[in-house]
Amino acid sequence: MGDKDVILGTQTYEEKETQWKDGRLRERSSNWQKKNIASHSSATSSISLENNNIVSGNVSSGENLKANNVPWIGSYLPSQLQPYARLARLDMPVGTWSIAMAAAPGNIPDLKFLVLFACWALFLRGAGCSINDFLDRNIDKMVERTKFRPLASGELTPFQGLCFLGFQLLLVAGVGILLRLDNLGWTLGAITLFLVFTYPLMKRITYWPQAYLGLVINFGTLLGWQAVKGTLDLAILLPLYVSGICWTLVYDTIYAHQDKKDDIKAGVKSTALLFGDSTKKWIAGFGFTSIGCLALSGFNANIDK
């Protein structure tokens, strides 16, 4: 008879071992439940405290909560400048499209043009956002996502917004002078400004404001190439431009879906409302077109050599 078969009182060793394991499991389960309840209570208390702070006025506005998503603006800029930074969307990245492609194959792009056009894109995009928020300030008040923007919330007055817009346009003109643009370059720059200033009106008259936005924010592909080369190579630039427009339609249509209910109440239009349940098919088509045109542009530019 082995050790495990020895009778211990009225129970075998195996029965004692099973009871011991069951007891340990029940103890661990009890401890886990206590920790889980404590954690849930702590989280609930934290949420309740945050809600009480908002209701009681300890949090001055929803924008202060939203500013937590823009840590560098809240951390490094004086409080007086923070509304202007948010108005210009300085927390969002910008870039240049065609400077790199204009470089000779095997060579890095001109650093001066990269820096100047990065600044130009930053200032022009800021000006575009400023005029957009100025014209849409009454609409933005009715949209959950935009009601805390500086002009819509009253954090900045319309006059302050216009003054800031003028300041950014001066910076755009200054960068243009530094780039030494020729007549064609200045013409393209003027067209860019026209597109930027008319974009906010499109949502009022067409269901394709996202397409017009694509025309606006990708027009720099033409100006960037022209500034480097002095000419416009449409075999390269036209597919690149169309690719950018299609990509804008992809992400901005997805973006517009979160505002559909508010857009209907505000009386504005979007491709999200136009496409409806067919959105996935549309953006898939735009996505494939964007990739195809981008590949064609690269092929025509001989970037594989």
Side-chain angles (χ1 to χ4, degrees):
M1 183 180 296
D3 292 339
K4 290 186 179 181
D5 294 328
V6 175
I7 300 297
L8 299 173
T10 58
Q11 295 178 313
T12 66
Y13 177 88
E14 291 176 341
E15 291 173 335
K16 284 285 189 180
E17 185 178 33
T18 300
Q19 285 184 348
W20 180 80
K21 289 181 178 179
D22 290 343
R24 291 288 292 173
L25 288 174
R26 283 194 296 270
E27 182 182 354
R28 290 178 182 177
S29 178
S30 177
N31 291 337
W32 178 84
Q33 289 177 352
K34 291 178 181 178
K35 291 180 180 179
N36 192 40
I37 292 172
S39 176
H40 176 74
S41 299
S42 176
T44 304
S45 299
S46 176
I47 293 172
S48 300
L49 178 60
E50 181 179 358
N51 290 336
N52 290 335
N53 285 337
I54 295 172
V55 172
S56 64
N58 292 335
V59 179
S60 59
S61 70
E63 188 63 27
N64 289 336
L65 292 177
K66 187 178 179 182
N68 292 331
N69 297 326
V70 195
W72 75 266
I73 287 181
S75 300
Y76 299 107
L77 289 182
S79 58
Q80 299 90 337
L81 297 181
Q82 291 178 21
Y84 295 99
R86 294 198 305 273
L87 180 60
R89 312 292 198 274
L90 292 184
D91 55 301
M92 299 179 183
V94 295
T96 58
W97 268 80
S98 57
I99 298 294
M101 290 187 65
N107 295 319
I108 62 174
D110 187 287
L111 182 59
K112 183 189 79 170
F113 277 108
L114 280 177
V115 172
L116 288 176
F117 263 96
C119 294
W120 185 83
L122 180 69
F123 300 146
L124 184 60
R125 197 275 305 272
C129 293
S130 299
I131 189 63
N132 178 79
D133 288 7
F134 175 80
L135 295 176
D136 286 352
R137 62 190 184 280
N138 293 324
I139 294 176
D140 287 344
K141 295 176 182 178
M142 297 183 281
V143 179
E144 184 65 28
R145 180 179 57 85
T146 61
K147 66 182 181 180
F148 294 118
R149 286 177 174 174
L151 289 173
S153 65
E155 197 173 1
L156 293 177
T157 65
F159 179 73
Q160 288 174 316
L162 286 177
C163 290
F164 184 55
L165 170 64
F167 173 68
Q168 292 174 100
L169 291 177
L170 287 176
L171 293 176
V172 170
V175 172
I177 294 174
L178 292 175
L179 286 169
R180 298 180 181 178
L181 299 175
D182 57 17
N183 290 336
L184 179 57
W186 282 112
T187 301
L188 293 174
I191 295 174
T192 302
L193 288 177
F194 171 79
L195 293 173
V196 167
F197 275 72
T198 54
Y199 162 69
L201 305 176
M202 293 300 108
K203 66 187 73 174
R204 296 165 171 81
I205 61 178
T206 178
Y207 280 98
W208 292 88
Q210 281 71 28
Y212 199 85
L213 178 64
L215 293 174
V216 175
I217 64 177
N218 295 288
F219 200 80
T221 60
L222 307 181
L223 185 56
W225 180 281
Q226 193 277 333
V228 176
K229 295 287 192 179
T231 59
L232 294 176
D233 190 335
L234 295 183
I236 298 172
L237 296 177
L238 188 59
L240 182 63
Y241 192 35
V242 173
S243 175
I245 294 171
C246 289
W247 180 241
T248 303
L249 277 162
V250 170
Y251 68 75
D252 210 55
T253 297
I254 297 173
Y255 195 53
H257 267 275
Q258 65 183 308
D259 296 336
K260 286 194 298 184
K261 293 181 180 179
D262 291 330
D263 285 348
I264 293 173
K265 289 189 293 185
V268 296
K269 303 175 176 64
S270 71
T271 50
L273 295 174
L274 177 65
F275 299 157
D277 294 336
S278 300
T279 293
K280 290 183 180 179
K281 296 179 181 179
W282 279 95
I283 62 175
F286 290 132
F288 284 120
T289 303
S290 177
I291 294 172
C293 288
L294 188 62
L296 177 61
S297 176
F299 176 79
N300 290 342
N302 297 317
I303 62 174
D304 58 331
K305 295 183 180 179

